[in-house]
Amino acid sequence: MVRSWDLGLEYKRIYRLLLTKIRAHYKRRGFKHYTYSIILLIQLRNGARVSEAIEALKRFIESGERKVEVRVRKHKNPEYRLMVLPRELSHKDLLPCRPILQEVSEEKLKKRIQLYARRELGINTHSLRYAFITHLLKKGISPSLIAKITHHRNLNYILTYTQQKTANKILEEL
């Protein structure tokens, strides 16, 4: 069974769409939507939860680094994961995001990004996480490594998901 959060998003297509949105919002000086699109791109690029992508953006801005560690949100015990800034973005690109990140609480920002994703892109933010997983699966990455990258504690979620994807592909190709 494929879960409802799997909208069958094509990783490369949504990646290009987010880059297009980022450029368009920047030209119009629509920095709220610009920031939301950057967060979604970071989320997609890392297979992260939206709250982890928000934290990553803040850390990219603060540190000036292209790789940062952020706290895994769904786990009770402190656990951290690596997040990588998409190569198409520079630290200069992140500067207009700073005021947007500071104007509301992280929870309110998360809700606004989720609403933006639904209205502007027709997706839920968690579907970006599974577009990333599907992308890695198509590249031949093992489910156990995918679980490590995405910080799924229970390998069964990844196995069930990736096996269903593989089974559907085999059936379609028959």
Side-chain angles (χ1 to χ4, degrees):
M1 170 178 79
V2 178
R3 309 243 194 245
S4 62
W5 31 250
D6 176 19
L7 300 178
L9 297 178
E10 168 55 41
Y11 176 88
K12 289 181 181 179
R13 188 188 72 73
I14 197 78
Y15 197 99
R16 286 189 304 271
L17 176 62
L18 286 168
L19 287 173
T20 300
K21 291 274 185 193
I22 289 166
R23 286 189 287 273
H25 293 311
Y26 186 83
K27 281 182 186 175
R28 287 195 314 268
R29 304 192 63 76
F31 292 124
K32 278 188 182 180
H33 289 175
Y34 174 81
T35 301
Y36 301 165
S37 295
I38 284 179
I39 290 168
L40 293 173
L41 184 67
I42 291 168
Q43 181 186 5
L44 176 67
R45 164 60 180 82
N46 292 278
R49 296 169 182 87
V50 70
S51 54
E52 295 165 352
I54 292 168
E55 183 182 344
L57 177 56
K58 289 177 180 178
R59 295 209 178 192
F60 290 135
I61 292 169
E62 290 168 7
S63 70
E65 299 291 327
R66 296 199 64 82
K67 294 186 250 179
V68 296
E69 296 276 329
V70 300
R71 189 165 193 273
V72 176
R73 294 304 166 115
K74 211 164 179 181
H75 300 179
K76 289 181 179 140
N77 296 330
E79 188 176 321
Y80 293 85
R81 63 171 296 175
L82 178 68
M83 299 282 282
V84 178
L85 184 65
R87 68 177 158 267
E88 294 84 358
L89 298 177
S90 71
H91 283 89
K92 182 181 167 200
D93 296 325
L94 306 182
L95 296 179
C97 302
R98 187 180 298 225
I100 308 305
L101 294 172
Q102 294 171 342
E103 74 182 24
V104 294
S105 70
E106 189 170 314
E107 194 54 40
K108 193 170 250 186
L109 180 59
K110 178 181 163 184
K111 297 250 186 267
R112 288 180 181 180
I113 294 165
Q114 290 168 333
L115 183 62
Y116 169 80
R118 251 191 323 274
R119 286 185 178 163
E120 290 286 317
L121 304 169
I123 63 170
N124 64 61
T125 57
H126 211 66
S127 62
L128 297 174
R129 186 164 161 82
Y130 287 89
F132 178 77
I133 290 169
T134 301
H135 176 69
L136 293 182
L137 177 65
K138 286 179 181 176
K139 290 180 87 163
I141 308 297
S142 77
S144 60
L145 284 176
I146 293 170
K148 289 282 185 195
I149 292 167
T150 59
H151 280 261
H152 277 90
R153 276 206 177 137
N154 188 341
L155 183 58
N156 286 335
Y157 290 126
I158 297 293
L159 287 174
T160 300
Y161 177 77
T162 56
Q163 287 172 350
Q164 185 64 56
K165 285 292 223 180
T166 302
N168 289 350
K169 185 177 179 191
I170 290 169
L171 181 61
E172 289 169 9
E173 292 174 355
L174 287 178

